[in-house]
Amino acid sequence: MLIKFFGVRGSYPAPNKDMLRYGGRTSCVGIFKEVDGITIPVYIDAGLGLIEAGKDILPKMFSKTATWEFPILFTHLHPDHTEGFTFFAPNFIPGVKLHLLGPSSLKKNVGMVLCDKMAPPSYPIEYKDLKSERIHGVISDGQTFYIGRKGEVITDLKPPRNPVFKINAMQSFAPSHPQQGSIYYRITDLENKKSVACIWDIESRVGGDQRVIAFAKGADVMIHDTQYTDEEYNSDKMIVQGFGHSTYTMAVENAEKANINTLVAFHYNPTHSDDKLEEIAKDLKLNKTKFVLSHEGLEIKL
């Protein structure tokens, strides 16, 4: 299993010269598995990083070394997690089949939200005019599903099905992330049993979030929201408590209590420069968990 980061910034894009080392594109992480020479992709969130993800996978699709069917999992449907979807290159190729899975917000699934987003006069093309086939699904708390060898979504494991990924979902609710909460995913490679827990757009708890700790227990990698420093979170000048994001300390507490091997910081504050991120990382204290600052293009192999 390969984890690749295409967009690591939170809230809004930050095209800033002081953020070139880590990147200013909004959230998108790709999980890949190669089976018999064919790459099976799973994408989590469709921030501006998804545009780069599309450019990355397209050559493999055209050379028939990647599936033309695969899922995009949405943690939630705020703009920084959807704004790259309409510029995702596979959307413009007939024969591509996308499974768009995520929460239902105000009785609207992912497809309905994207359709509204692309409605005229605010968009040059409409959702219905995209060339890809799009299948919409709603993910609920505690749900388990699988990704097969052709990139298909499997909810029933009757033989002869032999999936490559197992995906567990956990639904958080407001005030964890305003206003409808967020979904966290744990993705397991069924061949080597390695797993990654994707925990972002969460306002965790001081001392640890017990639901997250239980959900992610023993995962090899945890990608966790790190939008604020402790000073920012506790400040009485710019009040951010209730905005639905965690501190670096919260991420460390969750990772260490869940016995995570590697904690990857993610969903950076759009005002934090490269130097600021490195300054924060240098001051962190971890006992048993390795800490990594994510950046665009970072790859982690499990």
Side-chain angles (χ1 to χ4, degrees):
M1 177 166 63
L2 173 71
I3 307 166
K4 187 170 181 178
F5 294 79
F6 295 97
V8 300
R9 195 66 55 171
S11 298
Y12 56 85
N16 188 308
K17 64 181 177 61
D18 297 322
M19 302 178 185
L20 294 178
R21 291 199 300 275
Y22 293 93
R25 297 186 183 97
T26 45
S27 302
C28 179
V29 176
I31 311 291
F32 304 93
K33 176 75 175 178
E34 187 174 309
V35 178
D36 298 329
I38 305 297
T39 296
I40 304 159
V42 175
Y43 298 105
I44 308 170
D45 278 334
L48 291 181
L50 188 69
I51 302 172
E52 295 304 309
K55 297 175 184 177
D56 179 74
I57 198 65
L58 215 55
K60 292 183 179 180
M61 293 173 62
F62 286 145
S63 65
K64 301 189 185 303
T65 56
T67 60
W68 282 49
E69 179 176 359
F70 48 84
I72 302 176
L73 311 179
F74 291 80
T75 58
H76 62 305
L77 301 171
H78 289 167
D80 56 325
H81 299 264
T82 59
E83 59 196 348
F85 179 80
T86 51
F87 300 98
F88 182 51
N91 264 325
F92 300 93
I93 302 173
V96 171
K97 188 174 183 178
L98 303 179
H99 296 264
L100 308 180
L101 308 176
S104 174
S105 298
L106 302 176
K107 298 183 179 180
K108 290 185 176 182
N109 65 24
V110 173
M112 297 166 73
V113 171
L114 292 173
C115 187
D116 289 348
K117 175 183 176 66
M118 296 179 67
S122 61
Y123 242 78
I125 59 171
E126 294 187 52
Y127 186 68
K128 65 180 178 62
D129 294 326
L130 296 173
K131 303 303 183 185
S132 62
E133 177 185 354
R134 296 167 306 284
I135 300 169
H136 310 123
V138 173
I139 301 298
S140 58
D141 187 29
Q143 186 171 346
T144 298
F145 57 99
Y146 302 84
I147 307 302
R149 292 168 179 260
K150 296 180 180 180
E152 75 276 23
V153 173
I154 299 171
T155 57
D156 181 349
L157 275 186
K158 291 180 180 178
R161 290 175 177 168
N162 185 20
V164 296
F165 290 122
K166 176 183 178 182
I167 302 179
N168 299 96
M170 171 186 158
Q171 169 78 60
S172 76
F173 300 95
S176 177
H177 193 71
Q179 292 189 5
Q180 287 84 39
S182 189
I183 292 179
Y184 313 127
Y185 297 98
R186 179 169 178 159
I187 302 176
T188 303
D189 180 332
L190 290 173
E191 180 184 24
N192 63 17
K193 308 304 179 185
K194 301 288 187 179
S195 65
V196 52
C198 303
I199 314 291
W200 57 81
D201 287 77
I202 178 175
E203 185 161 352
S204 191
R205 292 170 170 80
V206 175
D209 185 312
Q210 293 303 323
R211 285 194 71 211
V212 167
I213 292 166
F215 177 72
K217 198 79 171 177
D220 297 276
V221 173
M222 174 188 277
I223 307 169
H224 199 293
D225 188 299
T226 52
Q227 182 124 345
Y228 300 121
T229 64
D230 288 343
E231 291 74 20
E232 288 167 335
Y233 190 75
N234 294 313
S235 173
D236 60 358
K237 295 176 181 177
M238 174 62 180
I239 298 174
V240 297
Q241 291 185 13
F243 281 20
H245 295 287
S246 294
T247 67
Y248 286 79
T249 299
M250 291 172 179
V252 168
E253 289 170 338
N254 282 339
E256 297 227 306
K257 291 184 178 182
N259 296 319
I260 303 297
N261 291 333
T262 302
L263 168 63
V264 183
F266 187 74
H267 204 280
Y268 298 133
N269 193 316
T271 68
H272 287 176
S273 68
D274 293 332
D275 290 344
K276 177 68 173 178
L277 295 179
E278 292 172 2
E279 176 188 324
I280 294 168
K282 187 173 69 173
D283 292 337
L284 285 178
K285 294 179 173 58
L286 295 91
N287 295 319
K288 54 189 177 181
T289 301
K290 178 183 176 182
F291 181 80
V292 175
L293 288 170
S294 65
H295 62 80
E296 292 175 12
L298 173 67
E299 296 183 355
I300 298 175
K301 293 181 180 180
L302 292 178

